[in-house]
Amino acid sequence: MRKDESLDFSLWMLIYPLFFGLTIWTVYWFELTFGFDFTHYGVYPRTLSGLRGVVLSPFIHSSVEHLYSNTLPLMILSSALFYFYNKISWKVLLLGVLLSGFFTWLIGRPAYHIGASGLIYVLVSFIFFKGIFAKNRRLIALSLVTVFVYGSMFWFIFPVENKISWEGHLSGFLVGLFLAIIFKSEVLRKEKYDWERDDYNEDEDQFLKHFDADGNFIEQLEDDLPIDDEVPTLEIKYHYVENDKSIN
């Protein structure tokens, strides 16, 4: 098989996620150190002032537990995004933040919605669905790992707990699915065998000569094997000698 594109590692694929994690921790440290409360900068649905939370809410968290629960998933998933979907990673991040925040503003309860969980749901949803749509083995494997690790998050897109912004989670999930659908190019494509290529020449493929028209394997017979004239053949000669039956 051949690969349509290669995955090239860059140090920035680790630096950017680390920067995201440090940023949200720095904002929370600033609140504690100087006595600020940035909660009112979150998304407050269907109000003009609440629109600023579309951009600002991913950086605001209510507690250390809230912050910790979002930090690792954000860094891990964004690292996967930058590595496997490097060409569209920033588009996914920016559109994910804006669209998930805006839909939360549209459908949310009258309360301040804060935290990076909406963006995390965007990443989980995008990585899972994009891997399935792309039909690439590596991306499908990534999708399965994502669902295995973060599959339990699915239940929180429903109103199972009043203190959790399920509206933000649902918005992020739907936006991730939407982005997985619209970004059809600039990602790893389905891996192809050599005979699936447009420039493939069947006459030059020695491997396919062992198959018939129906795809059945044809065993190579002895008569078809090449004979090397230079290889010496073994010749056995028998000489008859009369047995002497006399006894001395």
Side-chain angles (χ1 to χ4, degrees), residues 139-151:
L139 299 184
I140 292 175
L142 176 65
S143 298
L144 295 178
V145 170
T146 302
V147 116
F148 176 77
V149 177
Y150 299 107

Side-chain angles (χ1 to χ4, degrees), residues 111-156:
Y112 288 105
H113 298 255
I114 58 175
S117 55
L119 177 58
I120 292 172
Y121 273 82
V122 171
L123 296 177
V124 169
S125 178
F126 174 82
I127 290 173
F128 173 73
F129 287 111
K130 192 65 213 171
I132 301 300
F133 296 157
K135 297 180 180 179
N136 180 281
R137 291 187 303 171
R138 286 171 290 181
L139 299 184
I140 292 175
L142 176 65
S143 298
L144 295 178
V145 170
T146 302
V147 116
F148 176 77
V149 177
Y150 299 107
S152 60
M153 294 172 56
F154 174 78
W155 300 108
F156 294 100

